[in-house]
Amino acid sequence: MKSLHREETGFTLIELVIAIAILGILAAVIVPNLATFLTTGDVAAANTEVANLESAASAYYADNYGTWPTNSTTLSTDGYISAAPKYAVYTFTSFGKVDTVTENSPAADDIEWNAADHEWQKGEAPAPAPPVPVPPVPHPPVPIPIQPIPHPPVPFR
């Protein structure tokens, strides 16, 4: 068996336990919020995609003598955008704004198009199921016996 010398150093058990506890606390805080951070990033990227498509539609309009593109596929095949949109296939209004959205990507699973606000938004979580009502069970009243508390006699002086 090897004996330790005083000049040898290492971590004590309590130092290792504290380090592992700190890592566990950090993981408990970060992991639940990770999905929220990713969804927020998807919303920002999808809204940027819409703005880029509307800019490309304006360029298409200028190059094609006042004709707006029919959808985002036209923009990608004619070279106005470098690749097909990631989140959906878009159609345009007669003024070059995105009109309708056909979601075609798993990237758009957690986000949804809000036509009224003309932007992508975080998807609504499904509402939890209502609790099942439990009928009250009638119980007969239970009498609680009350007994006086004995006090020691108080001496008179």
Side-chain angles (χ1 to χ4, degrees), residues 76-149:
S76 62
T77 56
D78 289 353
Y80 287 90
I81 54 176
S82 60
K86 178 180 177 183
Y87 294 95
V89 173
Y90 302 90
T91 58
F92 298 97
T93 65
S94 59
F95 299 105
K97 293 289 185 187
V98 169
D99 185 24
T100 57
V101 173
T102 306
E103 296 177 18
N104 66 341
S105 168
D109 284 347
D110 294 334
I111 59 177
E112 60 187 25
W113 176 253
N114 184 339
D117 293 337
H118 192 73
E119 66 180 10
W120 287 94
Q121 294 178 344
K122 184 176 177 180
E124 296 295 325
V132 177
V134 178
V137 179
H139 292 289
V142 178
I144 300 175
I146 301 175
Q147 297 180 359
I149 300 174

Side-chain angles (χ1 to χ4, degrees), residues 24-52:
I25 291 169
L26 287 174
V29 169
I30 292 172
V31 169
N33 293 324
L34 187 59
T36 302
F37 297 146
L38 294 176
T39 303
T40 303
D42 280 342
V43 168
N47 284 329
T48 301
E49 180 177 84
V50 168
N52 290 339

